[in-house]
mmCIF file of all heavy atoms in Angstrom:
data_model
loop_
_atom_site.group_PDB
_atom_site.id
_atom_site.type_symbol
_atom_site.label_atom_id
_atom_site.label_comp_id
_atom_site.label_asym_id
_atom_site.label_seq_id
_atom_site.Cartn_x
_atom_site.Cartn_y
_atom_site.Cartn_z
ATOM 1 N N ASP A 198 66.733 38.834 -64.771
ATOM 2 C CA ASP A 198 66.507 39.069 -66.194
ATOM 3 C C ASP A 198 67.785 39.682 -66.773
ATOM 4 O O ASP A 198 68.067 40.875 -66.571
ATOM 5 C CB ASP A 198 65.315 40.014 -66.372
ATOM 6 C CG ASP A 198 64.949 40.247 -67.837
ATOM 7 O OD1 ASP A 198 65.811 40.048 -68.709
ATOM 8 O OD2 ASP A 198 63.801 40.646 -68.091
ATOM 9 N N LEU A 199 68.564 38.876 -67.485
ATOM 10 C CA LEU A 199 69.845 39.355 -67.997
ATOM 11 C C LEU A 199 69.685 40.470 -69.020
ATOM 12 O O LEU A 199 70.539 41.355 -69.111
ATOM 13 C CB LEU A 199 70.634 38.197 -68.607
ATOM 14 C CG LEU A 199 71.233 37.184 -67.623
ATOM 15 C CD1 LEU A 199 71.961 36.082 -68.375
ATOM 16 C CD2 LEU A 199 72.171 37.860 -66.633
ATOM 17 N N GLN A 200 68.606 40.438 -69.795
ATOM 18 C CA GLN A 200 68.395 41.519 -70.755
ATOM 19 C C GLN A 200 68.138 42.829 -70.029
ATOM 20 O O GLN A 200 68.641 43.886 -70.421
ATOM 21 C CB GLN A 200 67.229 41.193 -71.681
ATOM 22 C CG GLN A 200 67.036 42.216 -72.802
ATOM 23 C CD GLN A 200 68.254 42.334 -73.702
ATOM 24 O OE1 GLN A 200 68.720 41.335 -74.266
ATOM 25 N NE2 GLN A 200 68.800 43.550 -73.840
ATOM 26 N N ARG A 201 67.341 42.775 -68.961
ATOM 27 C CA ARG A 201 67.106 43.988 -68.180
ATOM 28 C C ARG A 201 68.410 44.471 -67.539
ATOM 29 O O ARG A 201 68.689 45.676 -67.515
ATOM 30 C CB ARG A 201 66.062 43.732 -67.087
ATOM 31 C CG ARG A 201 65.790 44.966 -66.239
ATOM 32 C CD ARG A 201 65.020 44.662 -64.989
ATOM 33 N NE ARG A 201 65.120 45.783 -64.054
ATOM 34 C CZ ARG A 201 64.816 45.702 -62.767
ATOM 35 N NH1 ARG A 201 64.400 44.560 -62.239
ATOM 36 N NH2 ARG A 201 64.952 46.754 -61.989
ATOM 37 N N LEU A 202 69.217 43.538 -67.044
ATOM 38 C CA LEU A 202 70.502 43.915 -66.450
ATOM 39 C C LEU A 202 71.379 44.595 -67.483
ATOM 40 O O LEU A 202 71.997 45.636 -67.211
ATOM 41 C CB LEU A 202 71.192 42.673 -65.889
ATOM 42 C CG LEU A 202 72.598 42.870 -65.323
ATOM 43 C CD1 LEU A 202 72.607 43.868 -64.171
ATOM 44 C CD2 LEU A 202 73.185 41.524 -64.864
ATOM 45 N N GLN A 203 71.447 44.031 -68.685
ATOM 46 C CA GLN A 203 72.253 44.646 -69.749
ATOM 47 C C GLN A 203 71.739 46.031 -70.099
ATOM 48 O O GLN A 203 72.516 46.990 -70.219
ATOM 49 C CB GLN A 203 72.235 43.759 -70.991
ATOM 50 C CG GLN A 203 72.993 44.361 -72.176
ATOM 51 C CD GLN A 203 72.731 43.595 -73.450
ATOM 52 O OE1 GLN A 203 73.001 42.407 -73.538
ATOM 53 N NE2 GLN A 203 72.191 44.278 -74.463
ATOM 54 N N ASN A 204 70.419 46.155 -70.270
ATOM 55 C CA ASN A 204 69.850 47.455 -70.625
ATOM 56 C C ASN A 204 70.119 48.492 -69.538
ATOM 57 O O ASN A 204 70.405 49.658 -69.827
ATOM 58 C CB ASN A 204 68.347 47.327 -70.850
ATOM 59 C CG ASN A 204 68.000 46.532 -72.095
ATOM 60 O OD1 ASN A 204 68.862 46.282 -72.944
ATOM 61 N ND2 ASN A 204 66.755 46.106 -72.198
ATOM 62 N N THR A 205 70.016 48.064 -68.282
ATOM 63 C CA THR A 205 70.271 48.974 -67.163
ATOM 64 C C THR A 205 71.722 49.421 -67.164
ATOM 65 O O THR A 205 72.027 50.604 -66.964
ATOM 66 C CB THR A 205 69.921 48.293 -65.831
ATOM 67 O OG1 THR A 205 68.544 47.914 -65.837
ATOM 68 C CG2 THR A 205 70.173 49.223 -64.654
ATOM 69 N N LEU A 206 72.636 48.473 -67.395
ATOM 70 C CA LEU A 206 74.054 48.819 -67.423
ATOM 71 C C LEU A 206 74.351 49.806 -68.543
ATOM 72 O O LEU A 206 75.072 50.789 -68.326
ATOM 73 C CB LEU A 206 74.893 47.549 -67.597
ATOM 74 C CG LEU A 206 76.409 47.765 -67.650
ATOM 75 C CD1 LEU A 206 76.925 48.347 -66.338
ATOM 76 C CD2 LEU A 206 77.131 46.461 -67.982
ATOM 77 N N VAL A 207 73.804 49.578 -69.734
ATOM 78 C CA VAL A 207 74.022 50.505 -70.846
ATOM 79 C C VAL A 207 73.476 51.884 -70.494
ATOM 80 O O VAL A 207 74.120 52.915 -70.744
ATOM 81 C CB VAL A 207 73.364 49.972 -72.134
ATOM 82 C CG1 VAL A 207 73.369 51.039 -73.230
ATOM 83 C CG2 VAL A 207 74.089 48.722 -72.617
ATOM 84 N N HIS A 208 72.278 51.919 -69.911
ATOM 85 C CA HIS A 208 71.648 53.188 -69.537
ATOM 86 C C HIS A 208 72.515 53.967 -68.549
ATOM 87 O O HIS A 208 72.617 55.199 -68.626
ATOM 88 C CB HIS A 208 70.273 52.906 -68.928
ATOM 89 C CG HIS A 208 69.563 54.128 -68.435
ATOM 90 N ND1 HIS A 208 69.017 55.068 -69.285
ATOM 91 C CD2 HIS A 208 69.327 54.578 -67.164
ATOM 92 C CE1 HIS A 208 68.473 56.036 -68.571
ATOM 93 N NE2 HIS A 208 68.642 55.765 -67.289
ATOM 94 N N MET A 209 73.144 53.258 -67.619
ATOM 95 C CA MET A 209 73.989 53.920 -66.625
ATOM 96 C C MET A 209 75.374 54.263 -67.189
ATOM 97 O O MET A 209 75.981 55.273 -66.815
ATOM 98 C CB MET A 209 74.162 53.021 -65.392
ATOM 99 C CG MET A 209 72.881 52.638 -64.684
ATOM 100 S SD MET A 209 72.039 54.072 -63.972
ATOM 101 C CE MET A 209 70.645 53.254 -63.163
ATOM 102 N N MET A 210 75.870 53.413 -68.110
ATOM 103 C CA MET A 210 77.251 53.558 -68.555
ATOM 104 C C MET A 210 77.444 54.671 -69.577
ATOM 105 O O MET A 210 78.449 55.404 -69.524
ATOM 106 C CB MET A 210 77.742 52.231 -69.148
ATOM 107 C CG MET A 210 79.216 52.199 -69.490
ATOM 108 S SD MET A 210 80.304 52.343 -68.028
ATOM 109 C CE MET A 210 80.073 50.706 -67.316
ATOM 110 N N LEU A 211 76.527 54.834 -70.529
ATOM 111 C CA LEU A 211 76.746 55.812 -71.590
ATOM 112 C C LEU A 211 76.974 57.227 -71.061
ATOM 113 O O LEU A 211 77.881 57.927 -71.539
ATOM 114 C CB LEU A 211 75.593 55.781 -72.596
ATOM 115 C CG LEU A 211 75.551 54.538 -73.498
ATOM 116 C CD1 LEU A 211 74.364 54.607 -74.449
ATOM 117 C CD2 LEU A 211 76.846 54.389 -74.287
ATOM 118 N N PRO A 212 76.219 57.705 -70.060
ATOM 119 C CA PRO A 212 76.513 59.044 -69.532
ATOM 120 C C PRO A 212 77.843 59.113 -68.774
ATOM 121 O O PRO A 212 78.356 60.208 -68.539
ATOM 122 C CB PRO A 212 75.340 59.317 -68.580
ATOM 123 C CG PRO A 212 74.263 58.375 -68.997
ATOM 124 C CD PRO A 212 74.974 57.161 -69.483
ATOM 125 N N ALA A 213 78.400 57.951 -68.407
ATOM 126 C CA ALA A 213 79.658 57.931 -67.652
ATOM 127 C C ALA A 213 80.881 58.078 -68.533
ATOM 128 O O ALA A 213 82.001 58.198 -68.037
ATOM 129 C CB ALA A 213 79.757 56.632 -66.844
ATOM 130 N N LEU A 214 80.693 58.097 -69.865
ATOM 131 C CA LEU A 214 81.823 58.200 -70.784
ATOM 132 C C LEU A 214 82.288 59.646 -70.859
ATOM 133 O O LEU A 214 82.075 60.355 -71.835
ATOM 134 C CB LEU A 214 81.417 57.672 -72.158
ATOM 135 C CG LEU A 214 80.920 56.220 -72.174
ATOM 136 C CD1 LEU A 214 80.498 55.826 -73.581
ATOM 137 C CD2 LEU A 214 81.971 55.275 -71.633
ATOM 138 N N ASP A 215 82.947 60.067 -69.817
ATOM 139 C CA ASP A 215 83.290 61.476 -69.656
ATOM 140 C C ASP A 215 84.554 61.571 -68.814
ATOM 141 O O ASP A 215 84.656 60.931 -67.760
ATOM 142 C CB ASP A 215 82.130 62.198 -68.953
ATOM 143 C CG ASP A 215 82.222 63.708 -69.049
ATOM 144 O OD1 ASP A 215 83.351 64.237 -69.087
ATOM 145 O OD2 ASP A 215 81.178 64.358 -69.068
ATOM 146 N N THR A 216 85.532 62.354 -69.271
ATOM 147 C CA THR A 216 86.765 62.514 -68.513
ATOM 148 C C THR A 216 86.945 63.923 -67.951
ATOM 149 O O THR A 216 88.025 64.290 -67.510
ATOM 150 C CB THR A 216 87.991 62.169 -69.388
ATOM 151 O OG1 THR A 216 87.964 62.990 -70.562
ATOM 152 C CG2 THR A 216 87.980 60.710 -69.780
ATOM 153 N N ARG A 217 85.861 64.710 -67.957
ATOM 154 C CA ARG A 217 85.960 66.013 -67.297
ATOM 155 C C ARG A 217 86.095 65.811 -65.797
ATOM 156 O O ARG A 217 85.843 64.733 -65.265
ATOM 157 C CB ARG A 217 84.724 66.852 -67.618
ATOM 158 C CG ARG A 217 84.673 67.320 -69.065
ATOM 159 C CD ARG A 217 83.388 68.040 -69.373
ATOM 160 N NE ARG A 217 82.226 67.139 -69.265
ATOM 161 C CZ ARG A 217 81.008 67.478 -69.685
ATOM 162 N NH1 ARG A 217 80.794 68.667 -70.217
ATOM 163 N NH2 ARG A 217 80.016 66.614 -69.577
ATOM 164 N N LEU A 218 86.487 66.872 -65.094
ATOM 165 C CA LEU A 218 86.637 66.773 -63.649
ATOM 166 C C LEU A 218 85.328 66.343 -63.004
ATOM 167 O O LEU A 218 84.242 66.679 -63.472
ATOM 168 C CB LEU A 218 87.087 68.118 -63.074
ATOM 169 C CG LEU A 218 88.481 68.608 -63.492
ATOM 170 C CD1 LEU A 218 88.781 69.946 -62.833
ATOM 171 C CD2 LEU A 218 89.555 67.589 -63.153
ATOM 172 N N LEU A 219 85.447 65.564 -61.944
ATOM 173 C CA LEU A 219 84.268 65.076 -61.238
ATOM 174 C C LEU A 219 83.521 66.225 -60.577
ATOM 175 O O LEU A 219 84.128 67.131 -60.000
ATOM 176 C CB LEU A 219 84.675 64.046 -60.186
ATOM 177 C CG LEU A 219 85.261 62.740 -60.729
ATOM 178 C CD1 LEU A 219 85.929 61.953 -59.618
ATOM 179 C CD2 LEU A 219 84.192 61.913 -61.416
ATOM 180 N N GLU A 220 82.211 66.178 -60.666
ATOM 181 C CA GLU A 220 81.362 67.179 -60.034
ATOM 182 C C GLU A 220 81.276 66.918 -58.528
ATOM 183 O O GLU A 220 81.475 65.787 -58.070
ATOM 184 C CB GLU A 220 79.957 67.137 -60.644
ATOM 185 C CG GLU A 220 79.898 67.385 -62.136
ATOM 186 C CD GLU A 220 80.181 68.841 -62.474
ATOM 187 O OE1 GLU A 220 80.047 69.697 -61.574
ATOM 188 O OE2 GLU A 220 80.524 69.114 -63.639
ATOM 189 N N PRO A 221 80.967 67.956 -57.724
ATOM 190 C CA PRO A 221 80.809 67.749 -56.280
ATOM 191 C C PRO A 221 79.824 66.640 -55.939
ATOM 192 O O PRO A 221 80.057 65.855 -55.009
ATOM 193 C CB PRO A 221 80.309 69.109 -55.787
ATOM 194 C CG PRO A 221 80.895 70.092 -56.752
ATOM 195 C CD PRO A 221 80.866 69.397 -58.086
ATOM 196 N N SER A 222 78.731 66.536 -56.694
ATOM 197 C CA SER A 222 77.746 65.489 -56.418
ATOM 198 C C SER A 222 78.340 64.099 -56.635
ATOM 199 O O SER A 222 77.998 63.134 -55.927
ATOM 200 C CB SER A 222 76.510 65.676 -57.295
ATOM 201 O OG SER A 222 76.856 65.600 -58.674
ATOM 202 N N GLU A 223 79.250 63.972 -57.615
ATOM 203 C CA GLU A 223 79.890 62.677 -57.873
ATOM 204 C C GLU A 223 80.885 62.339 -56.774
ATOM 205 O O GLU A 223 81.015 61.168 -56.371
ATOM 206 C CB GLU A 223 80.580 62.707 -59.232
ATOM 207 C CG GLU A 223 79.597 62.797 -60.402
ATOM 208 C CD GLU A 223 80.278 63.010 -61.733
ATOM 209 O OE1 GLU A 223 81.139 63.929 -61.833
ATOM 210 O OE2 GLU A 223 79.960 62.276 -62.688
ATOM 211 N N LEU A 224 81.577 63.337 -56.251
ATOM 212 C CA LEU A 224 82.497 63.097 -55.141
ATOM 213 C C LEU A 224 81.740 62.619 -53.910
ATOM 214 O O LEU A 224 82.195 61.716 -53.190
ATOM 215 C CB LEU A 224 83.278 64.371 -54.820
ATOM 216 C CG LEU A 224 84.159 64.927 -55.947
ATOM 217 C CD1 LEU A 224 84.839 66.214 -55.500
ATOM 218 C CD2 LEU A 224 85.184 63.897 -56.390
ATOM 219 N N VAL A 225 80.574 63.202 -53.673
ATOM 220 C CA VAL A 225 79.735 62.774 -52.543
ATOM 221 C C VAL A 225 79.267 61.338 -52.763
ATOM 222 O O VAL A 225 79.258 60.517 -51.833
ATOM 223 C CB VAL A 225 78.523 63.716 -52.384
ATOM 224 C CG1 VAL A 225 77.527 63.149 -51.378
ATOM 225 C CG2 VAL A 225 78.991 65.098 -51.943
ATOM 226 N N ALA A 226 78.897 61.008 -53.997
ATOM 227 C CA ALA A 226 78.425 59.656 -54.303
ATOM 228 C C ALA A 226 79.518 58.620 -54.068
ATOM 229 O O ALA A 226 79.246 57.528 -53.553
ATOM 230 C CB ALA A 226 77.934 59.587 -55.745
ATOM 231 N N VAL A 227 80.754 58.949 -54.415
ATOM 232 C CA VAL A 227 81.865 58.031 -54.186
ATOM 233 C C VAL A 227 82.053 57.803 -52.685
ATOM 234 O O VAL A 227 82.171 56.655 -52.231
ATOM 235 C CB VAL A 227 83.167 58.553 -54.820
ATOM 236 C CG1 VAL A 227 84.351 57.698 -54.392
ATOM 237 C CG2 VAL A 227 83.055 58.572 -56.330
ATOM 238 N N ARG A 228 82.079 58.870 -51.918
ATOM 239 C CA ARG A 228 82.258 58.726 -50.467
ATOM 240 C C ARG A 228 81.131 57.907 -49.847
ATOM 241 O O ARG A 228 81.354 57.116 -48.930
ATOM 242 C CB ARG A 228 82.329 60.105 -49.794
ATOM 243 C CG ARG A 228 83.651 60.822 -49.975
ATOM 244 C CD ARG A 228 83.652 62.167 -49.253
ATOM 245 N NE ARG A 228 83.396 62.040 -47.834
ATOM 246 C CZ ARG A 228 84.310 61.777 -46.900
ATOM 247 N NH1 ARG A 228 85.572 61.584 -47.286
ATOM 248 N NH2 ARG A 228 83.997 61.702 -45.630
ATOM 249 N N ALA A 229 79.925 58.074 -50.367
ATOM 250 C CA ALA A 229 78.777 57.387 -49.783
ATOM 251 C C ALA A 229 78.835 55.878 -49.987
ATOM 252 O O ALA A 229 78.328 55.117 -49.151
ATOM 253 C CB ALA A 229 77.486 57.944 -50.372
ATOM 254 N N CYS A 230 79.454 55.439 -51.101
ATOM 255 C CA CYS A 230 79.474 53.997 -51.376
ATOM 256 C C CYS A 230 80.876 53.401 -51.313
ATOM 257 O O CYS A 230 81.072 52.232 -51.681
ATOM 258 C CB CYS A 230 78.846 53.710 -52.744
ATOM 259 S SG CYS A 230 79.797 54.284 -54.166
ATOM 260 N N LEU A 231 81.850 54.159 -50.837
ATOM 261 C CA LEU A 231 83.241 53.727 -50.885
ATOM 262 C C LEU A 231 83.532 52.630 -49.864
ATOM 263 O O LEU A 231 83.352 52.812 -48.658
ATOM 264 C CB LEU A 231 84.170 54.921 -50.638
ATOM 265 C CG LEU A 231 85.672 54.653 -50.743
ATOM 266 C CD1 LEU A 231 86.037 54.121 -52.123
ATOM 267 C CD2 LEU A 231 86.460 55.916 -50.443
ATOM 268 N N HIS A 232 83.982 51.500 -50.363
ATOM 269 C CA HIS A 232 84.370 50.392 -49.495
ATOM 270 C C HIS A 232 85.660 50.734 -48.745
ATOM 271 O O HIS A 232 86.581 51.298 -49.311
ATOM 272 C CB HIS A 232 84.592 49.133 -50.335
ATOM 273 C CG HIS A 232 85.083 47.958 -49.558
ATOM 274 N ND1 HIS A 232 84.294 47.256 -48.666
ATOM 275 C CD2 HIS A 232 86.302 47.365 -49.522
ATOM 276 C CE1 HIS A 232 84.980 46.280 -48.137
ATOM 277 N NE2 HIS A 232 86.209 46.312 -48.634
ATOM 278 N N ALA A 233 85.696 50.390 -47.469
ATOM 279 C CA ALA A 233 86.888 50.552 -46.624
ATOM 280 C C ALA A 233 87.233 52.012 -46.349
ATOM 281 O O ALA A 233 88.379 52.323 -45.998
ATOM 282 C CB ALA A 233 88.090 49.831 -47.223
ATOM 283 N N ARG A 234 86.284 52.929 -46.476
ATOM 284 C CA ARG A 234 86.568 54.324 -46.144
ATOM 285 C C ARG A 234 86.914 54.429 -44.665
ATOM 286 O O ARG A 234 86.244 53.871 -43.814
ATOM 287 C CB ARG A 234 85.374 55.219 -46.467
ATOM 288 C CG ARG A 234 85.642 56.696 -46.215
ATOM 289 C CD ARG A 234 84.639 57.570 -46.957
ATOM 290 N NE ARG A 234 83.282 57.401 -46.476
ATOM 291 C CZ ARG A 234 82.738 58.151 -45.501
ATOM 292 N NH1 ARG A 234 83.461 59.088 -44.908
ATOM 293 N NH2 ARG A 234 81.489 57.964 -45.146
ATOM 294 N N GLY A 235 87.989 55.143 -44.369
ATOM 295 C CA GLY A 235 88.469 55.274 -43.003
ATOM 296 C C GLY A 235 89.447 54.195 -42.576
ATOM 297 O O GLY A 235 90.005 54.263 -41.475
ATOM 298 N N ARG A 236 89.692 53.231 -43.460
ATOM 299 C CA ARG A 236 90.630 52.155 -43.137
ATOM 300 C C ARG A 236 92.000 52.458 -43.753
ATOM 301 O O ARG A 236 92.124 53.297 -44.645
ATOM 302 C CB ARG A 236 90.099 50.823 -43.657
ATOM 303 C CG ARG A 236 88.781 50.398 -43.016
ATOM 304 C CD ARG A 236 88.335 49.067 -43.563
ATOM 305 N NE ARG A 236 86.987 48.732 -43.140
ATOM 306 C CZ ARG A 236 86.316 47.669 -43.553
ATOM 307 N NH1 ARG A 236 86.877 46.835 -44.430
ATOM 308 N NH2 ARG A 236 85.086 47.438 -43.120
ATOM 309 N N PRO A 237 93.046 51.753 -43.307
ATOM 310 C CA PRO A 237 94.388 52.013 -43.840
ATOM 311 C C PRO A 237 94.465 51.806 -45.352
ATOM 312 O O PRO A 237 93.870 50.872 -45.898
ATOM 313 C CB PRO A 237 95.261 50.998 -43.098
ATOM 314 C CG PRO A 237 94.530 50.741 -41.818
ATOM 315 C CD PRO A 237 93.077 50.786 -42.193
ATOM 316 N N ALA A 238 95.188 52.700 -46.018
ATOM 317 C CA ALA A 238 95.407 52.624 -47.461
ATOM 318 C C ALA A 238 96.677 53.388 -47.784
ATOM 319 O O ALA A 238 97.181 54.148 -46.944
ATOM 320 C CB ALA A 238 94.219 53.206 -48.232
ATOM 321 N N ARG A 239 97.180 53.195 -48.980
ATOM 322 C CA ARG A 239 98.353 53.973 -49.393
ATOM 323 C C ARG A 239 98.258 54.310 -50.862
ATOM 324 O O ARG A 239 97.661 53.587 -51.651
ATOM 325 C CB ARG A 239 99.650 53.242 -49.075
ATOM 326 C CG ARG A 239 99.901 51.959 -49.855
ATOM 327 C CD ARG A 239 101.213 51.330 -49.415
ATOM 328 N NE ARG A 239 101.535 50.133 -50.186
ATOM 329 C CZ ARG A 239 102.637 49.408 -49.986
ATOM 330 N NH1 ARG A 239 103.504 49.763 -49.050
ATOM 331 N NH2 ARG A 239 102.872 48.343 -50.722
ATOM 332 N N VAL A 240 98.847 55.439 -51.210
ATOM 333 C CA VAL A 240 98.829 55.920 -52.587
ATOM 334 C C VAL A 240 100.234 56.323 -53.008
ATOM 335 O O VAL A 240 101.092 56.642 -52.168
ATOM 336 C CB VAL A 240 97.880 57.132 -52.759
ATOM 337 C CG1 VAL A 240 96.451 56.738 -52.421
ATOM 338 C CG2 VAL A 240 98.330 58.324 -51.903
ATOM 339 N N VAL A 241 100.449 56.304 -54.314
ATOM 340 C CA VAL A 241 101.670 56.854 -54.898
ATOM 341 C C VAL A 241 101.299 58.192 -55.512
ATOM 342 O O VAL A 241 100.445 58.272 -56.402
ATOM 343 C CB VAL A 241 102.259 55.921 -55.960
ATOM 344 C CG1 VAL A 241 103.464 56.571 -56.620
ATOM 345 C CG2 VAL A 241 102.659 54.589 -55.347
ATOM 346 N N THR A 242 101.909 59.269 -55.033
ATOM 347 C CA THR A 242 101.586 60.619 -55.489
ATOM 348 C C THR A 242 102.225 60.884 -56.848
ATOM 349 O O THR A 242 103.111 60.138 -57.291
ATOM 350 C CB THR A 242 102.090 61.667 -54.495
ATOM 351 O OG1 THR A 242 103.524 61.689 -54.533
ATOM 352 C CG2 THR A 242 101.616 61.351 -53.075
ATOM 353 N N PRO A 243 101.786 61.943 -57.563
ATOM 354 C CA PRO A 243 102.424 62.289 -58.841
ATOM 355 C C PRO A 243 103.924 62.493 -58.729
ATOM 356 O O PRO A 243 104.653 62.317 -59.718
ATOM 357 C CB PRO A 243 101.703 63.580 -59.239
ATOM 358 C CG PRO A 243 100.357 63.467 -58.602
ATOM 359 C CD PRO A 243 100.604 62.789 -57.279
ATOM 360 N N ALA A 244 104.412 62.869 -57.544
ATOM 361 C CA ALA A 244 105.848 63.063 -57.345
ATOM 362 C C ALA A 244 106.574 61.752 -57.059
ATOM 363 O O ALA A 244 107.795 61.741 -56.881
ATOM 364 C CB ALA A 244 106.084 64.039 -56.189
ATOM 365 N N GLY A 245 105.817 60.629 -57.017
ATOM 366 C CA GLY A 245 106.440 59.331 -56.777
ATOM 367 C C GLY A 245 106.565 58.947 -55.323
ATOM 368 O O GLY A 245 107.203 57.940 -55.002
ATOM 369 N N LEU A 246 105.965 59.710 -54.428
ATOM 370 C CA LEU A 246 106.044 59.408 -53.007
ATOM 371 C C LEU A 246 104.976 58.384 -52.621
ATOM 372 O O LEU A 246 103.831 58.458 -53.074
ATOM 373 C CB LEU A 246 105.846 60.679 -52.172
ATOM 374 C CG LEU A 246 106.876 61.791 -52.369
ATOM 375 C CD1 LEU A 246 106.486 63.011 -51.540
ATOM 376 C CD2 LEU A 246 108.273 61.297 -51.979
ATOM 377 N N LEU A 247 105.353 57.445 -51.781
ATOM 378 C CA LEU A 247 104.412 56.463 -51.259
ATOM 379 C C LEU A 247 103.907 56.962 -49.911
ATOM 380 O O LEU A 247 104.691 57.156 -48.977
ATOM 381 C CB LEU A 247 105.099 55.112 -51.098
ATOM 382 C CG LEU A 247 104.216 53.943 -50.672
ATOM 383 C CD1 LEU A 247 103.168 53.638 -51.723
ATOM 384 C CD2 LEU A 247 105.079 52.702 -50.407
ATOM 385 N N VAL A 248 102.616 57.217 -49.823
ATOM 386 C CA VAL A 248 102.030 57.799 -48.611
ATOM 387 C C VAL A 248 100.981 56.850 -48.043
ATOM 388 O O VAL A 248 100.066 56.426 -48.760
ATOM 389 C CB VAL A 248 101.382 59.171 -48.908
ATOM 390 C CG1 VAL A 248 100.777 59.747 -47.627
ATOM 391 C CG2 VAL A 248 102.411 60.128 -49.486
ATOM 392 N N GLU A 249 101.107 56.529 -46.774
ATOM 393 C CA GLU A 249 100.130 55.688 -46.100
ATOM 394 C C GLU A 249 99.236 56.553 -45.222
ATOM 395 O O GLU A 249 99.678 57.535 -44.619
ATOM 396 C CB GLU A 249 100.818 54.619 -45.251
ATOM 397 C CG GLU A 249 101.574 53.588 -46.074
ATOM 398 C CD GLU A 249 101.930 52.351 -45.276
ATOM 399 O OE1 GLU A 249 101.275 52.100 -44.237
ATOM 400 O OE2 GLU A 249 102.853 51.619 -45.685
ATOM 401 N N GLY A 250 97.965 56.207 -45.163
ATOM 402 C CA GLY A 250 97.020 56.957 -44.339
ATOM 403 C C GLY A 250 95.707 56.214 -44.270
ATOM 404 O O GLY A 250 95.660 54.989 -44.393
ATOM 405 N N LYS A 251 94.632 56.970 -44.130
ATOM 406 C CA LYS A 251 93.292 56.388 -44.096
ATOM 407 C C LYS A 251 92.537 56.789 -45.361
ATOM 408 O O LYS A 251 92.574 57.951 -45.761
ATOM 409 C CB LYS A 251 92.531 56.866 -42.860
ATOM 410 C CG LYS A 251 93.100 56.328 -41.550
ATOM 411 C CD LYS A 251 92.261 56.785 -40.363
ATOM 412 C CE LYS A 251 92.805 56.208 -39.061
ATOM 413 N NZ LYS A 251 91.999 56.644 -37.886
#
Side-chain angles (χ1 to χ4, degrees):
D198 184 338
L199 288 179
Q200 186 60 56
R201 180 193 164 196
L202 176 60
Q203 177 191 301
N204 291 346
T205 301
L206 180 63
V207 170
H208 177 72
M209 301 296 183
M210 187 65 73
L211 288 180
L214 302 178
D215 195 328
T216 56
R217 290 175 295 191
L218 295 180
L219 294 166
E220 301 288 340
S222 61
E223 292 172 310
L224 299 178
V225 170
V227 171
R228 284 181 58 85
C230 69
L231 184 59
H232 176 71
R234 183 161 65 91
R236 297 181 189 175
R239 67 181 183 180
V240 298
V241 176
T242 69
L246 298 176
L247 185 64
V248 180
E249 293 195 21
K251 292 183 178 180

